[in-house]
Amino acid sequence: MSPQASAPRPASVRRILTQVAASVALAFTVVAASGILMFQQIAKQEAVHRVAEVTDVLAESLVQPALTDAMANDPAAATAGLDSVMRNQILTTQVVRVKLWNPQGLVLYSDERRLIGQRFALDADARDALTAPRTQAGITDLDRPENGLESAPGKLLEVYRPVWTPNGQPLLFEAYFRYDLVSQRSDELWRGFSGVMLSTLAAVLVLLAPLLWLFYRRARSAQLQREQLMRRALDASTEERRRIAATLHDGVVQQLAGAAFLVGSEVERANTQGEQARAERLAEAAASVRDGVAGMRSLLVDIYPPSLTVGGLAAALADLVRTQSGSAARIHLEVDPAAEAALDAEQQQAVFRVAQECLRNAVRHAGAGNIWIELSQQPKDVRLEVADDGRGLEPERVEQAAAGGHLGLRLITDVAVAAGARLSVASSSTGTRFRLEVPR
């Protein structure tokens, strides 16, 4: 069935602590994720800056002193003069690839010998490094044509740096560094930050702990006061119902019963005197008075079921069903004795009140052909279900069941909350089901 709504559950220490722990975990996750992303960006920037500085040192101290004017357009001369320097002093665990270009895109030297002497179009960063002499560094995936013969996997840090031959001819020195530098720096930053973050969160928790405890104490106190007020209201209501029922029983009901007895006597006298018409009128009056007495006694059971305190919940529910026996709906009652035994007196009273209001609602408003009342024992609670096959509740009334906006629904919602139970309602065009779950 749909839609569905549930009455709010009372707060508990476990729920509050769980919510606080979840909030702390969420805050830690958000801060950690943000920190990781932030430090990855910082690490990239620092690594790029670092390899740019290393490339400047290599270019100025090793590459440029080894250049000759003949190397500017002669790959063979460049290879002969630079190979030893490149392989023995520049290609290290960090530098994995090197190239030397002329401005026309000719590869004068490469540690991958198959590239030497080939010509490729210089990319924008390379041209910028030559046009406005400066060091250009960034991250590359080796996806350009000149990288087709190179075997370095994954990302690399790529640096372009102009160098000059003795007569001032500009050439372009290119070096590739391992991307591990970024990961290493990111780990270093994270290790340093994680300690600060954890200590900060711990300090925040220490500072918040008194406030959280104060909030919990006040919330718990308000809840206990509400429950106490509700319990007093229910006790007062029960006592008032009992008083009204006793007054009616000892007063009006006895008077009506006496009147029925007197009218019955007059019927016999009229028959004896041969006044048949008068006897019939008096018999009708006596029957009306007896019907009134029966109706009044049903009302007394509805107002205050003595069987609830004397015979228990099953007897009270049976009496409740009998009070509605004149309705058009067929009422089916099923009570598990173990479920009744699992409830204390206060819980039995709460279950009876909810069943009473739900049954009254189904009889008066649902237009149902069948109404089912079932009390059963579940692994963790005792469950009362009142279901019908009537027209169902409107969606706004289902919402009112959760918010307590409808008087009858608000009453049973308050009864459920006071008993520490959970009340839910599901309704559709084929009927309505109320479910009360009382923890054992």
Side-chain angles (χ1 to χ4, degrees):
M1 292 182 175
S2 61
Q4 297 183 349
S6 297
R9 302 189 71 172
S12 66
V13 177
R14 181 176 298 178
R15 283 180 59 197
I16 293 177
L17 293 179
T18 300
Q19 292 172 356
V20 171
S23 300
V24 172
L26 178 61
F28 177 82
T29 302
V30 171
V31 172
S34 302
I36 290 174
L37 293 176
M38 178 179 67
F39 290 130
Q40 283 179 344
Q41 294 301 319
I42 294 176
K44 287 180 182 179
Q45 295 173 2
E46 289 194 4
V48 168
H49 180 70
R50 178 180 175 184
V51 297
E53 291 180 339
V54 171
T55 303
D56 283 340
V57 173
L58 295 176
E60 292 177 1
S61 62
L62 297 175
V63 178
Q64 188 160 304
L67 294 179
T68 63
D69 294 332
M71 296 180 184
N73 295 291
D74 187 354
T79 301
L82 295 175
D83 192 57
S84 177
V85 173
M86 295 291 192
R87 294 189 181 277
N88 296 330
Q89 300 183 59
I90 295 180
L91 287 171
T92 62
T93 56
Q94 291 186 350
V95 182
V96 296
R97 285 278 180 267
V98 291
K99 293 190 189 77
L100 184 67
W101 306 71
N102 71 5
Q104 291 74 40
L106 177 65
V107 180
L108 300 173
Y109 176 81
S110 173
D111 61 291
E112 172 53 63
R113 295 187 180 278
R114 291 173 293 179
L115 292 175
I116 297 175
Q118 295 194 37
R119 193 180 298 273
F120 301 94
L122 295 177
D123 62 24
D125 290 338
R127 293 194 301 271
D128 290 343
L130 286 170
T131 303
R134 63 178 180 272
T135 303
Q136 293 278 85
I139 299 171
T140 180
D141 289 321
L142 298 178
D143 55 357
R144 294 192 298 273
E146 67 267 22
N147 303 127
L149 298 176
E150 296 173 314
S151 59
K155 295 180 179 180
L156 293 175
L157 295 172
E158 180 183 36
V159 186
Y160 291 108
R161 207 280 191 184
V163 291
W164 291 267
T165 62
N167 65 2
Q169 176 69 32
L171 301 177
L172 189 65
F173 173 57
E174 181 181 13
Y176 294 88
F177 292 76
R178 292 187 182 278
Y179 193 78
D180 295 346
L181 293 172
V182 175
S183 302
Q184 292 172 2
R185 184 54 181 157
S186 180
D187 291 342
E188 292 172 0
L189 291 171
W190 173 247
R191 284 194 297 270
F193 172 75
S194 59
V196 176
M197 180 186 67
L198 291 175
S199 59
T200 302
L201 287 177
V204 170
L205 286 178
V206 170
L207 294 175
L208 287 179
L211 296 177
L212 293 173
W213 178 249
L214 179 61
F215 169 77
Y216 164 73
R217 289 292 300 273
R218 289 185 175 180
R220 184 60 177 167
S221 176
Q223 178 193 339
L224 292 175
Q225 289 179 3
R226 184 177 185 276
E227 292 177 355
Q228 186 177 16
L229 291 174
M230 181 60 61
R231 191 174 294 108
R232 289 178 179 175
L234 290 175
D235 291 342
S237 174
T238 300
E239 180 60 25
E240 185 66 13
R241 286 169 177 266
R242 187 197 62 76
R243 188 186 65 79
I244 293 173
T247 301
L248 291 175
H249 181 272
D250 296 338
V252 177
V253 172
Q254 297 300 325
Q255 292 170 2
L256 289 175
F261 179 78
L262 291 175
V263 173
S265 300
E266 290 298 321
V267 171
E268 293 180 0
R269 180 179 300 178
N271 284 327
T272 302
Q273 295 175 355
E275 300 179 6
Q276 191 63 34
R278 180 169 171 264
E280 290 178 357
R281 290 195 299 272
L282 288 172
E284 291 177 0
S288 296
V289 174
R290 286 193 296 271
D291 289 342
V293 171
M296 185 64 71
R297 284 174 174 166
S298 294
L299 178 61
L300 293 180
V301 171
D302 194 25
I303 293 176
Y304 181 75
S307 54
L308 184 60
T309 55
V310 177
L313 181 59
L317 290 176
D319 286 345
L320 180 62
V321 170
R322 279 193 291 273
T323 63
Q324 303 293 338
S325 59
S327 67
R330 293 183 298 276
I331 304 174
H332 312 273
L333 175 64
E334 183 177 347
V335 177
D336 181 359
E340 179 184 8
L343 300 174
D344 58 30
E346 183 178 349
Q347 290 174 325
Q348 289 191 19
Q349 188 177 61
V351 169
F352 177 81
R353 292 302 178 204
V354 172
Q356 184 181 47
E357 182 62 32
C358 293
L359 178 60
R360 182 183 295 120
N361 182 80
V363 169
R364 294 181 180 178
H365 306 296
N370 291 277
I371 301 174
W372 296 270
I373 303 176
E374 181 181 2
L375 184 69
S376 61
Q377 182 171 252
Q378 305 297 321
K380 295 183 179 181
D381 53 48
V382 172
R383 180 177 299 172
L384 170 72
E385 287 193 339
V386 181
D388 65 67
D389 57 2
R391 65 178 64 94
L393 295 172
E394 298 85 356
E396 53 270 18
R397 289 196 68 197
V398 177
E399 294 177 0
Q400 288 175 346
H406 183 272
L407 179 58
L409 298 177
R410 185 179 66 201
L411 289 176
I412 60 175
T413 298
D414 290 343
V415 168
V417 171
R422 180 176 183 269
L423 177 68
S424 61
V425 56
S427 185
S428 71
S429 58
T430 59
T432 301
R433 182 189 69 239
F434 286 89
R435 174 179 292 174
L436 179 71
E437 296 168 317
V438 185
R440 293 196 296 171

